[in-house]
Amino acid sequence: MRSASQTRAAGAAPDAERWVLGVDSGGSGLRVALAPADDLAGAATTVSHEPVRTVASGIDPAHLLEQLLPMAGVLLDAVGGPAPAAVTVGAAGMATLGDGLRAELPDALKRELGVVRLALAADAVTAYAGALGQRPGAVVAAGTGLIALGTGLDTWRRAD
């Protein structure tokens, strides 16, 4: 496992390419993508088909980290190990089952990967942002579960 000091040392040069890490956690597994911040189409990805456990208190942050950290480490090592400029985690159930993730992920990702910019969101929100950006519209995300999210940018509607 990489430590924050290893990650920062590798990415310390001020002119080093900036990388962003995206994480999608859902009922069918965990997907992690790493891309240059200025070329998101050039992402490298890795996938685990083991869904992150849900326990009585919600999504299990220890299990998510157990899968995520080695996956992120492989991707970061392949590009020379810079700390990601930002990380976004979209997780199924984040709104209702994500208390543990919100409490534990920021410190754990800072400690293990040197992450200082982190966004945590429901997977429907990250699907919307990925598909439509800041435009009005709707998305339907169909996988193990099904959710629709739409907006005219003044109000939001959700169905799942």
Side-chain angles (χ1 to χ4, degrees):
M1 191 174 310
R2 302 157 56 87
S3 71
S5 60
Q6 291 170 318
T7 303
R8 277 193 292 272
D15 59 346
E17 189 165 18
R18 292 169 39 98
W19 295 87
V20 292
L21 190 73
V23 180
D24 177 41
S25 176
S28 58
L30 187 71
R31 180 173 173 231
V32 181
L34 180 71
D38 61 354
D39 180 21
L40 299 181
T45 62
T46 184
V47 177
S48 166
H49 296 289
E50 179 183 358
V52 175
R53 285 187 298 264
T54 301
V55 294
S57 60
I59 301 166
D60 184 350
H63 190 232
L64 185 137
L65 288 165
E66 178 183 306
Q67 291 188 64
L68 169 60
L69 293 174
M71 294 167 74
V74 167
L75 293 172
L76 289 164
D77 287 345
V79 299
V87 174
T88 298
V89 177
M94 178 69 80
T96 55
L97 301 171
D99 289 346
L101 295 182
R102 288 187 290 275
E104 294 186 34
L105 285 186
D107 288 342
L109 292 176
K110 183 175 185 178
R111 180 180 60 253
E112 298 296 334
L113 298 178
V115 172
V116 294
R117 297 183 80 182
L118 174 65
L120 302 174
D123 61 343
V125 173
T126 56
Y128 185 96
L132 298 172
Q134 297 180 25
R135 297 176 302 195
V139 295
V140 175
T144 306
L146 177 68
I147 188 165
L149 183 66
T151 183
L153 299 182
D154 55 345
T155 60
W156 289 83
R157 298 286 185 256
R158 168 188 153 156
D160 66 357

